[in-house]
Amino acid sequence: EGLVALKRDLREREALAEVADGLKKPAISMTDGPLELYREPQESAAFEKTLARYLEVLGDLRDQGLITLGYVDKPGSDLIARLLELVQLQEHEHASSPLRGRRYAGVQDAQWLDARLQNPGDRSALFGIHSDTAKSFKGDLALHFFYLNVGTPGKTHLARVEVPGWVARDRDLVGMLQAVLTEQAAILGTRPYPYVLHRAHEVAVVSLPEHQHVEEMIVAEFRRRGIPVEEGSYKQYAKDLDPSKTRYEG
């Protein structure tokens, strides 16, 4: 499942690169989720090969002038809390693990920023992402993020927006993203979310029969190769008979 998700993420970016050349610039592309790849096992040869191709595609998007971002709705990360903990460490403590006795354990970034980004369109400062995978994103492709209030007056809703380095360094591009994302999220009213992503989800529906057909093809191939396949429970079989189910909710 993880490998399939990896290939899907890569194919999404490749599809963007295929259409980018014919777009009138400036143009913005956005994908649902982070720009950084989070798949297991990250040390596998398949992951490394996919990551290398993924970086090539991001470079192509940069060369074609396509502004690209990853949109994380309702983020639960604590990246800023960890940064504050590192800043407050004494010099002799830096060699030890910052996870020991964490001062702000359990405090999410949204809790820090909720009262500071009160107006729709307000954003945080830009931060760099530091992780084992992010080390592969260098120079113009280095990963950055900021938090953006896409909510309504009196009701803050924070999203995390991830952008590559060549976008993060251009204040005009960042300002454009602020405006576009705030406008897009406002279209859906009290449940703010970029409308273009919402439409993409509606169009890319995998029907239940389609999902079942793919599963049947996989099972048939397993059996052809002599790989034992465990049958589902009778409870699941009965649930799948429900005629009201028309969409796969995996």
Side-chain angles (χ1 to χ4, degrees):
E1 183 177 352
L3 183 57
V4 170
L6 256 180
K7 291 184 176 181
R8 181 200 63 220
D9 288 347
L10 174 60
R11 186 68 190 111
E12 285 178 354
R13 270 65 177 197
E14 288 178 331
L16 289 174
E18 289 168 5
V19 301
D21 194 41
L23 297 177
K24 183 179 178 180
K25 306 302 189 301
I28 298 173
S29 72
M30 61 184 77
T31 52
D32 186 17
L35 290 183
E36 186 177 2
L37 298 182
Y38 290 102
R39 301 302 177 201
E40 296 292 347
Q42 292 195 355
E43 300 301 323
S44 70
F47 177 83
E48 295 300 332
K49 182 178 179 180
T50 303
L51 177 60
R53 175 58 184 152
Y54 182 83
L55 294 173
E56 289 180 8
V57 175
L58 284 183
D60 291 341
L61 296 179
R62 173 202 59 200
D63 295 342
Q64 296 182 67
L66 184 66
I67 306 166
T68 189
L69 65 91
Y71 186 90
V72 181
D73 184 51
K74 200 175 180 180
S77 54
D78 62 349
L79 302 174
I80 295 178
R82 291 173 179 269
L83 174 63
L84 292 173
E85 289 170 344
L86 288 172
V87 170
Q88 295 177 11
L89 286 176
Q90 298 297 321
E91 186 172 347
H92 68 277
E93 294 178 307
H94 280 267
S96 60
S97 171
L99 298 177
R100 295 179 182 174
R102 288 194 54 195
R103 186 171 301 181
Y104 304 122
V107 181
Q108 298 178 357
D109 292 347
Q111 294 171 304
W112 289 103
L113 299 173
D114 187 77
R116 293 169 173 80
L117 305 176
Q118 294 186 334
N119 302 308
D122 284 353
R123 74 163 174 87
S124 71
L126 278 156
F127 299 90
I129 297 179
H130 296 272
S131 68
D132 290 340
T133 306
K135 293 177 183 177
S136 300
F137 295 74
K138 302 175 181 179
D140 285 347
L141 306 184
L143 299 179
H144 297 72
F145 71 91
F146 61 86
Y147 285 92
L148 177 68
N149 180 6
V150 295
T152 55
K155 189 175 181 181
T156 299
H157 185 85
L158 297 182
R160 190 174 79 244
V161 182
E162 296 191 3
V163 294
W166 67 273
V167 175
R169 288 195 293 269
D170 191 320
R171 293 177 61 88
D172 291 338
L173 292 186
V174 173
M176 184 188 301
L177 293 185
Q178 280 182 259
V180 169
L181 287 172
T182 303
E183 180 184 54
Q184 281 281 311
I187 296 174
L188 294 180
T190 58
R191 297 183 181 275
Y193 183 74
Y195 181 71
V196 67
L197 289 180
H198 169 67
R199 283 293 298 133
H201 289 312
E202 287 187 331
V203 172
V205 172
V206 177
S207 68
L208 185 60
E210 289 171 333
H211 170 70
Q212 291 173 333
H213 180 60
V214 172
E215 278 197 340
E216 289 167 0
M217 292 172 62
I218 294 173
V219 169
E221 182 63 18
F222 277 4
R223 287 175 174 160
R224 188 184 71 81
R225 299 188 182 194
I227 302 173
V229 180
E230 183 177 339
E231 293 187 1
S233 67
Y234 293 148
K235 173 184 176 181
Q236 185 63 47
Y237 173 78
K239 289 173 65 177
D240 290 341
L241 292 177
D242 184 353
S244 66
K245 292 183 66 176
T246 60
R247 179 171 178 172
Y248 172 57
E249 300 289 350

